[in-house]
Each structure stands twice: as structure tokens, then as C-alpha cells.
Amino acid sequence: VAAVPSSGEQVRGAPAPHLVFVPSAGMGHIQPFCRFITALANMGVEISVVTALPTVTEAEADHFAGLFAAFPAIRRIDFNLLPLDDATVAETDPFFLRWEALRRSAHLLGPLIAGAAPRASAIVTDVTLASHVIPVAKNELQIPCHILFISCTTMLSFLAYFPAYLDSANADHLVGDVDVPGIGRVPVDYPPQLLRDPDSLFTKQFIDNGREIARADGLLVNTFDALEPEVLAALRGGKVVPGFPPVYAVGLLNLMSTTTAARGDKVVEPVHGASPIIGWLGEQPARSVVYVAFGSRIAAALEQIREIGAGLEASGCRFLWVVKTTVVDRQDTAELGDVVGNGFLGRVQGRGLVTKEWVDQEAVLRHPAVGLFISHSGWNSVTESATHGVPILAWPMLGDQRLIATVVRSGGFGLWMEHWTWEKEESIVTGAEIAEKVKEVMGDEAISARVAEVREEAIKAVAPGGSTHRSIQQFLSTLN
Ligand code: UDP
Ligand code: G50
């Protein structure tokens, strides 16, 4: 058994374990993978990363390039994907299509990973690829396979239980509320809505992955014990799925990657040029700015974009607003002024900053001028906000985002506007309502106090002796 490094110390005297990472697609998946890899590399773990190039988006490409530039010792294993056949053309989401291409090419991973030197100790892959990568690891390579789970533990429990739900409901898709043992009732409109469609590619992948994760050697979740204590206990106690594999709470990964760098032999921090956005934030009073962003892959409807603009304007608050009009960044050719509408940029000049560019979201949330985050509640966004003590106004749209919003609500560190949806045209949220909510939450002391507590708990978890730190050591101690 290899020596277990304590945080920030390189493994000395014993051969370091060699982990082969097989990430999936989408920044919400790539970002936590890069962070976990950074944390482990800072601890002296040997790492290879299987990369399928070109990536779907520019943001993903930039991110991988940054990782390999910061850690020349990390090996890149190029993965040439097989083309998708016609049967999948009905699907339009570029990320689901990439997941499918990775899944259908997974049998090619065996020889690629068998050729890695030193011999791989284990594979760490993404949940979207679980049903295809776990068999390669276990049957063909005979090495352990772990899943780095990039969403919340509530989502993981739902995923793990979903196949049993289908069996008990005698259904092949989501048909009603789901009673997840040990967790409670999940209303039918909280899980990914695509699960109501038995023919969607997403549903097929989700069911296969849900079944197969029970055969993983471990689930590494981007959370920490004090953030989701009950759900973690239920999952670990076998209440959700009997005999479920070990669940390691290894988050929050944004904190893990930076704290290990600070303590490690190699200090690797991303290098950012002087950013005009951070410069502007520096001129604003503490806690005065509302940050508005809906992740890396959601394009809001034009009409809704205009209402958000009206709401921010009417709130009287300072704001930083990231506007996205396309799912894939490479396709974005719109003019910002046209998107936000007539004279908006001129009217809010000085008080509001609007951009279509990729922003360094962590740097924004870390900035003392930011007092509120209006977010789609992607798990990375939520955990980044909590880490920096910024309250969240959750406006989930699709996928896992509503289940994540339940975590924000039950954790008390933000508000979930449950009737704010994005699905139907008649449900456009008006600027007046947005303005009113923004003003209300900006002054909510209970939420501010609670998010400050969560931040403290998160910092404790990643410190030496903290729950995350111990979980990572436990995980590493299983490798040889
Ligand atoms: N992100 C960023 N700048 C942007 C948009 C997104 O840094 O302009 C990062 C964000 O900090 C987060 C990730 O991209 O780490 C998005 O993941 P999340 O789970 O929040 O949402 P998704 O994009 O998967 O919907
Ligand atoms: C991305 C997305 C929609 C979505 C999710 C995304 C999740 C995460 C968990 O990450 O729910 C998950 C996704 C797919 C799968 C298994 C688990 O097959 O755009 O819902």
C-alpha cells in the first residue's frame, strides 16, 4: 500500500499511486475534475488524464490547457472518439451527444489505459460515463473504478434509487413523485424533466448509469459532511440502495484545489491578467453588487433576458450580469447591446456591468463587493458561492438544478424562487418581481449569517483533520 500523503506533502519513500482520470463533457463536469486533479497532484499523486479533443466548447479547451500547463508531470492520453451513427441524430444537446460518443467509444479505453506506465492504480470517471467505463476497469483491466460525482448528494441518491423506483412503479420513465428511502418524497417536478421521456438519450443514460454506480469501488462527491449530513448518512448506511459502495465527501473541490496548492511543495495558482471586471468590483462598496449568471450552458429566452435587465435596473442595486445567448460559446455572435435591448447599457453605465464573455466566477464570488448571486443553481456555482459566503437566489431551470435548489433551501444559505421557471412562455418572470426579490434578499440578515457559517464549515472540512481531508486520505489509502 502506498504511503498516504497528508495534505500538501508529496508522497516520499513509497511509489505514488497512479490515477487515470476519464472526464466527461461540459464545464460543470470538467471544472470539478480539474480541481480534484489539482488537489491530488499537489499531494504527489501521479495522474494521467484521458482527453477527447477537440472539446465541445472553447471554455473546456482553455481549462484543460491551463491544467496541463500548470502540471507538466500530468500525462495526457489522447482519446479518438468513434463517430456517432444516425440513430442518435434526433438528440440536439451537444453535451448529451458528446457523452454518448464517449460512452460508445469506451471499449477503446482498455488498451489505452493498459499501456499506461506506471500501471494504473485505479480509474476515476464521470457519472455520465459510469455504465460504460466501470466494466472496462473491472472486467478488462481489473483495476478499481471510482466515480467523481459532480452534483449534490441528493442528486446522487435520486440517481442511485431511480432504477429501483422504475421497477417498483413498473415504468420506464418518471411518472410521479418518488419516495427515496432514507431521503423522503421527491416531487415529480424536481428531478431532471427529461426523465419523463422514456425515449430521450438522457433517460437511457441515466438509468444505465444509476444501475452501474452500485458496482463502483467508491463515489467521490463534491460536498462535505456538514453540508448534506442526513443524505450522506442515508446513502452510507445503505438506506437508499442496500450495499451501496463507499461514499467519500471530498469537497468542496474549489477549496481543496487552492488550499493544497498553498500548502504544497509546488504552488500552482491559475494566472489571470488584470481583469476589468475585478477592477470594477474594486471600486464598489462591500456587499453592494448583485452577481447574475446562469452557468456555462444555459441560454435564456430573449424576452426573459429583457425582464432580468428591467429587474436589475429597477432594483437600484449595482450588478454584474453575465448574459449567454447560445449553449456553445463558439457559436455566439450576438451583439450584447442588441440582446439586452434599447439603450440599456447606456442607462446602467457605472452602476451595472454586463458581459457575454467567460468570467472568472470564483474571483468574482471571492470579491468583497459581491453581496448576492442570482444563479441557476448548478452545483459548482452553488458551492463556489457558499465557499465565499455569498447568499444565493436560486432560479433553477433544468437537469439537476431543482434538486440542488432544495439543498440551498434546506441549508438556509439562499432562497429558492420555486415558481420562477423557464419552461413555458406564460411563465416569464417579470422585472418588477425580480427587483422586489433582489432588494429583499440583499437585506436578509438570517441568510447572510447562515452562509457565513457554511463558509466556516467548508473551510474546516478541508483543513488538516477536517472531514474532507480525512475522506481523501481514506480514498488514497485504498489505492496501491
Ligand atoms: N463559470 C465561469 N465563468 C463563466 C461561466 C461559468 O467560471 O462565465 C464556471 C463556474 O464558476 C462553474 C462552472 O463554470 O465552476 C459551471 O458549473 P455549474 O455547475 O455552476 O453550472 P453548469 O454550467 O454546469 O450549468
Ligand atoms: C448536466 C445536465 C443535466 C443534468 C445533469 C448534468 C445531472 C448530473 C447527474 O450534470 O443531473 C447525472 C447526469 C447524467 C447521468 C447521470 C447523472 O446519466 O445538463 O441533469
Side-chain angles (χ1 to χ4, degrees), residues 29 96 99 127-128 149-151 155 159 192 202 205-206 209 297 398-400:
H29 296 249
F96 299 167
W99 299 350
V127 67
T128 58
F149 192 74
I150 48 67
S151 188
M155 186 66 205
L159 169 72
F202 181 86
Q205 295 174 348
F206 194 86
N209 291 329
R297 56 161 303 181
L398 45 84
D400 50 355

Side-chain angles (χ1 to χ4, degrees), residues 27-28 31 35 294-297 322 357-362 376 378-381 384 401:
M27 277 306 289
Q31 177 82 284
R35 287 173 171 163
F294 302 103
S296 64
R297 56 161 303 181
V322 184
E357 302 299 313
W358 182 262
V359 302
D360 180 354
Q361 180 165 298
E362 270 251 272
H376 72 311
W379 188 239
N380 294 289
S381 292
E384 288 159 12
Q401 295 155 14

